[in-house]
């Protein structure tokens, strides 16, 4: 069966896409106009250089609002309260909010040692928790970004040899605030955030950095990509003594090296991975890592992947953004 073509394409004239985030349940007047079952109304896109952040209206397929930036954007995120978070290459983590039909600046903090690491945001009890790189090389800071207050510092031991923090994922399991960090040395660590304790660590790759990871809390399984051709699936298990461990469960070797971004669809059925060299988006079974499809539209590196999940499977969406200035929106495996 032939792979599908994009449902539609959004294009920025001059800049490469670095991050994407479907923005649901919110309109540009700041009012929540529906339930969790609405289709997403907007897509937030971050760009390189001075491209800033665009908020695309998915109905008109036009840019509805723009946030300028003097530096390239690393990551973007938004919530149902009309708030948007952006992180740029200079370590400026900024918060904006919709008010009186306009996006207004709400505050910012400086993130040291930002490198390649995107911010990981979690909206909990009306507070934006945000994980970013810390002051020390391998450390991670977790902020109450709503109030710009530093809450926790996750600092490995001095002899850990983890290298730079490459990616993070905040999540909650059994009322515990946890974080998975991917590091320059190819390992991932699980942190108990409240206690600032590293619970376990495992090498997923041999001395090459974790470039991207995602995690599904329903299955307690995650996936990771690196500059190699290998996709790695891992699982967090808890033994009889309530000790956590990370275990590699499956790997899949791709035809080409380099995975720029990887995402798990929230229904835990499929994974999408963006390639460095061939401009493809590869779709895998989340359970088995069996290859299912190759989506071919982009010419350059696919630098960002985003899923939108809907209980009506026919309304689920996938977005992919490339270095050649285009965002493709797809409907795939929605039966």
């Amino acid at each position: 069966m032939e792979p599908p073509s994009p449902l539609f394409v959004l294009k920025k004239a001059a800049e490469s896409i670095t991050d994407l985030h479907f923005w649901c349940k919110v309109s540009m007047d700041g009012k929540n106009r529906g339930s969790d079952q609405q289709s997403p109304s907007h897509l937030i896109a971050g760009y390189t250089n001075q491209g800033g952040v665009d908020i695309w209206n998915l109905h008109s397929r036009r840019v509805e609002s723009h946030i300028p930036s003097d530096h390239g954007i690393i990551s973007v995120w938004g919530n149902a309260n009309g708030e948007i978070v952006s992180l740029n290459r200079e370590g400026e983590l900024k918060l904006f909010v919709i008010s009186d039909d306009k996006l207004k600046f709400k505050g910012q903090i400086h993130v040291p040692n930002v490198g390649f690491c995107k911010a990981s945001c979690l909206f909990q009890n009306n507070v934006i928790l945000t994980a970013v790189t810390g002051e020390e090389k391998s450390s991670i800071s977790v902020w109450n970004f709503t109030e710009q207050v530093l809450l926790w510092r996750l600092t490995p031991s001095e002899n850990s040899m983890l290298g730079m923090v490459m990616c993070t994922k905040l999540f909650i399991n059994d009322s515990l605030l946890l974080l998975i960090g991917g590091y320059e040395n190819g390992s991932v660590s699980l942190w108990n955030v409240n206690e600032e304790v590293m619970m376990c660590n495992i090498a997923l790759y041999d001395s090459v950095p974790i470039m991207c990871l995602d995690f599904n809390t329903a299955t307690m399984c995650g996936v990771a990509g690196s500059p190699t051709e290998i996709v790695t699936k891992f699982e967090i298990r808890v033994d009889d003594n309530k000790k956590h461990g990370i275990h590699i469960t499956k790997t899949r070797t791709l035809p080409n090296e380099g995975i720029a971004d990887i995402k798990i669809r929230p229904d835990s059925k499929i994974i999408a991975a963006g390639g460095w060299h061939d401009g493809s988006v590869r779709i895998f079974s989340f359970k088995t890592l069996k290859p299912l499809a190759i989506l071919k539209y982009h010419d350059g590196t696919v630098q960002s992947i985003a899923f939108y999940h809907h209980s009506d499977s026919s309304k689920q969406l996938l977005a992919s953004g490339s270095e050649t200035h285009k965002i493709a929106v797809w409907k795939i495996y929605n039966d």
Side-chain angles (χ1 to χ4, degrees):
M1 186 175 70
E2 288 292 321
S5 299
L7 188 65
F8 57 86
V9 174
L10 310 171
K11 185 176 180 181
K12 178 87 169 185
E15 305 296 348
S16 301
I17 293 92
T18 55
D19 201 22
L20 297 169
H21 181 84
F22 281 108
W23 205 20
C24 310
K25 301 196 304 176
V26 70
S27 65
M28 292 305 291
D29 59 8
K31 296 179 180 178
N32 187 332
R33 290 186 172 175
S35 69
D36 288 342
Q37 303 311 314
Q38 270 194 313
S39 295
S41 55
H42 297 83
L43 182 68
I44 308 171
Y47 301 94
T48 56
N49 300 321
Q50 295 182 334
V53 177
D54 280 343
I55 302 172
W56 289 88
N57 185 309
L58 294 179
H59 303 296
S60 68
R61 300 177 190 175
R62 296 178 180 272
V63 174
E64 197 165 84
S65 189
H66 175 74
I67 302 172
S69 176
D70 292 332
H71 309 284
I73 299 296
I74 295 177
S75 62
V76 294
W77 179 87
N79 66 23
N81 279 8
E83 294 168 310
I84 291 175
V85 175
S86 70
L87 174 64
N88 69 27
R89 291 285 177 194
E90 290 297 303
E92 296 170 343
L93 185 69
K94 296 184 178 182
L95 178 62
F96 299 85
V97 65
I98 295 176
S99 179
D100 300 326
D101 298 330
K102 295 181 180 179
L103 278 166
K104 295 186 177 180
F105 176 73
K106 194 174 179 181
Q108 78 174 63
I109 60 172
H110 176 70
V111 177
N113 305 311
V114 66
F116 301 96
C117 188
K118 297 180 179 183
S120 176
C121 296
L122 181 66
F123 193 48
Q124 186 73 12
N125 299 324
N126 223 33
V127 168
I128 302 170
L129 296 176
T130 306
V132 290
T133 51
E135 292 182 0
E136 299 179 38
K137 185 176 181 181
S138 303
S139 68
I140 299 166
S141 296
V142 181
W143 292 76
N144 171 343
F145 193 37
T146 302
E147 300 175 2
Q148 284 95 62
V149 175
L150 177 60
L151 300 178
W152 300 284
R153 293 184 176 91
L154 310 181
T155 305
S157 61
E158 292 183 2
N159 60 355
S160 63
M161 305 297 289
L162 297 176
M164 291 191 301
V165 181
M166 303 298 294
C167 43
T168 62
K169 181 74 174 184
L170 271 174
F171 64 99
I172 291 176
N173 178 254
D174 288 337
S175 301
L176 288 176
L177 180 60
L178 304 175
L179 179 143
I180 295 176
Y183 297 90
E184 187 181 8
N185 73 341
S187 72
V188 293
S189 295
L190 177 66
W191 290 86
N192 181 322
V193 175
N194 296 89
E195 296 183 5
E196 301 180 332
V197 171
M198 183 188 291
M199 304 171 79
C200 50
N201 174 273
I202 188 174
L204 300 187
Y205 298 95
D206 185 13
S207 301
V208 295
I210 307 285
M211 298 305 298
C212 50
L213 63 80
D214 198 12
F215 191 77
N216 179 271
T217 56
T219 61
M220 292 301 285
C221 291
V223 288
S226 75
T228 74
E229 69 278 15
I230 298 173
V231 173
T232 302
K233 183 178 179 182
F234 60 91
E235 182 181 6
I236 295 174
R237 301 173 188 165
V238 183
D239 64 20
D240 293 339
N241 296 319
K242 296 186 178 181
K243 184 177 180 180
H244 290 70
I246 304 173
H247 303 267
I248 296 174
T249 57
K250 295 183 185 298
T251 60
R252 173 65 61 179
T253 301
L254 309 185
N256 300 304
E257 294 182 340
I259 301 164
D261 199 13
I262 194 164
K263 290 293 191 311
I264 304 166
R265 196 164 71 181
D267 64 1
S268 65
K269 290 185 177 181
I270 59 173
I271 300 165
W276 274 8
H277 301 298
D278 59 0
S280 67
V281 178
R282 296 180 182 272
I283 308 300
F284 304 90
S285 162
F286 177 55
K287 183 176 181 180
T288 65
L289 290 191
K290 177 184 176 181
L292 300 176
I294 302 175
L295 308 181
K296 293 186 176 181
Y297 172 78
H298 301 289
D299 297 323
T301 299
V302 178
Q303 299 186 135
S304 183
I305 299 285
F307 275 115
Y308 172 68
H309 177 61
H310 197 290
S311 62
D312 180 350
S313 63
S314 68
K315 296 180 180 179
Q316 297 184 122
L317 296 173
L318 165 68
S320 55
S322 76
E323 64 178 354
T324 52
H325 319 152
K326 296 176 183 178
I327 301 167
V329 178
W330 315 76
K331 280 190 174 182
I332 55 162
Y333 289 94
N334 286 1
D335 297 330

